[in-house]
């Protein structure tokens, strides 16, 4: 038996295509500099396919071999400051002059994880389980949200009634109001359909990479 590196389900060794999600074993990452599926982080987390990527990081689906659950891992990878040889683990600075900015950014990345961890179990904010430093970078270990972003739904032609739009807006405002009321306050800086995840009727605000604390 083997584990699919896209949906993390188990299926028989004789198949090269996952019967659950259709992922073909050995498929190259969509992003050339992303970690190859199957990479193991901290002797515990098995990296899967890329969920999304931005200016400061890459988010992967992953498997926690200790808790035996599907998770998400966000890797600190500021484009322009670093690169990676395809199919390798370490990242490399594009120039030594970039090191101060890279280190400062990583401190902010870790601070993001610590701040988000304080909101665990709060409605509308993804849970953070851990933050680790390895391979010259940092990784945020997070809850995996089973759902689609508002942007993905819109791209499929999904339409929303006025009632649904008002409900989404009201939920987002309540989440933001909660974040702003914290001490210290958290100001979210990247509100867009791609960062609004809908899972089983619950809306989540994700990707706090541009937030200020």
């Amino acid at each position: 038996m083997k584990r699919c590196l896209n949906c993390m389900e188990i299926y028989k060794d004789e198949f090269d295509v996952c019967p659950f999600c259709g992922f073909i074993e050995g498929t190259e990452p969509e992003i050339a500099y992303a970690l190859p599926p199957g990479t193991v982080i901290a002797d515990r987390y098995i990296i899967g396919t890329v969920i999304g990527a931005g200016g400061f990081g890459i988010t992967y689906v992953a498997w926690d071999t200790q808790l035996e659950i599907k998770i998400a891992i966000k890797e600190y990878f500021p484009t322009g400051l670093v690169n990676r040889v395809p199919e390798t683990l370490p990242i490399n600075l594009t120039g030594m002059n970039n090191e101060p900015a890279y280190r400062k950014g990583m401190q902010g990345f870790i601070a993001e994880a610590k701040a988000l961890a304080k909101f665990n179990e709060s409605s509308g904010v993804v849970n953070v389980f851990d933050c680790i430093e390895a391979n010259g970078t940092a990784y945020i270990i997070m809850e995996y949200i089973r759902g689609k972003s508002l942007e993905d739904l819109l791209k499929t032609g999904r339409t929303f009634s006025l009632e649904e739009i008002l409900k989404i807006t009201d939920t987002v405002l309540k989440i933001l109001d909660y974040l702003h009321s914290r001490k210290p306050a958290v100001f979210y800086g990247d509100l867009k359909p791609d960062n609004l995840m809908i899972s089983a009727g619950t809306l989540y605000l994700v990707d706090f990479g541009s937030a200020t604390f």
Side-chain angles (χ1 to χ4, degrees):
M1 303 295 283
K2 56 187 173 183
R3 189 172 301 281
C4 173
L5 295 174
N6 183 60
C7 68
M8 296 300 164
E9 295 290 343
I10 292 289
Y11 63 97
K12 294 181 179 179
D13 292 328
E14 60 196 74
F15 298 113
D16 293 327
V17 179
C18 175
F20 298 97
C21 70
F23 180 72
I24 301 174
E25 186 179 6
T27 299
E28 296 291 329
E30 294 181 6
I31 301 173
Y33 53 80
L35 290 170
T39 299
V40 179
I41 302 296
D43 296 322
R44 173 174 178 175
Y45 305 109
I46 301 174
I47 294 292
T49 53
V50 172
I51 297 174
F56 295 97
I58 308 171
T59 304
Y60 309 86
V61 63
W63 182 257
D64 184 334
T65 59
Q66 289 189 16
L67 296 181
E68 297 188 340
I69 58 172
K70 187 177 181 178
I71 57 172
I73 293 182
K74 184 177 180 181
E75 177 187 38
Y76 176 58
F77 195 101
T79 55
L81 296 181
V82 298
N83 58 30
R84 174 187 282 124
V85 177
E87 301 297 317
T88 64
L89 183 58
I91 61 175
N92 308 296
L93 291 172
T94 54
M96 292 308 297
N97 292 336
N98 292 335
E99 185 169 4
Y102 177 75
R103 295 300 173 190
K104 182 178 180 181
M106 190 161 76
Q107 289 176 0
F109 184 83
I110 295 170
E112 172 194 347
K114 291 179 178 179
L116 285 177
K118 299 181 186 302
F119 300 129
N120 281 0
E121 306 305 327
S122 299
S123 178
V125 181
V126 64
N127 289 325
V128 170
F129 303 136
D130 199 2
C131 182
I132 58 177
E133 294 183 58
N135 311 312
T137 187
Y139 305 89
I140 300 177
I141 315 302
M142 303 180 293
E143 172 189 13
Y144 177 79
I145 303 297
R146 299 177 184 275
K148 291 186 176 182
S149 71
L150 185 58
E151 180 171 331
D152 287 337
L153 292 173
L154 291 170
K155 285 180 177 178
T156 63
R158 170 77 156 83
T159 58
F160 294 85
S161 66
L162 177 60
E163 182 180 358
E164 288 175 315
I165 293 170
L166 291 174
K167 183 178 180 180
I168 290 172
T169 304
D170 181 63
T171 302
V172 170
L173 290 175
K174 286 179 178 177
I175 294 172
L176 293 176
D177 183 60
Y178 171 73
L179 295 175
H180 296 168
S181 67
R182 300 285 295 183
K183 295 186 184 299
V186 177
F187 295 95
Y188 188 80
D190 198 14
L191 188 59
K192 58 184 179 182
D194 194 36
N195 287 337
L196 298 175
M197 294 289 296
I198 298 177
S199 175
T202 299
L203 185 142
Y204 293 86
L205 194 59
V206 300
D207 194 350
F208 280 67
S210 300
T212 55
F213 303 93

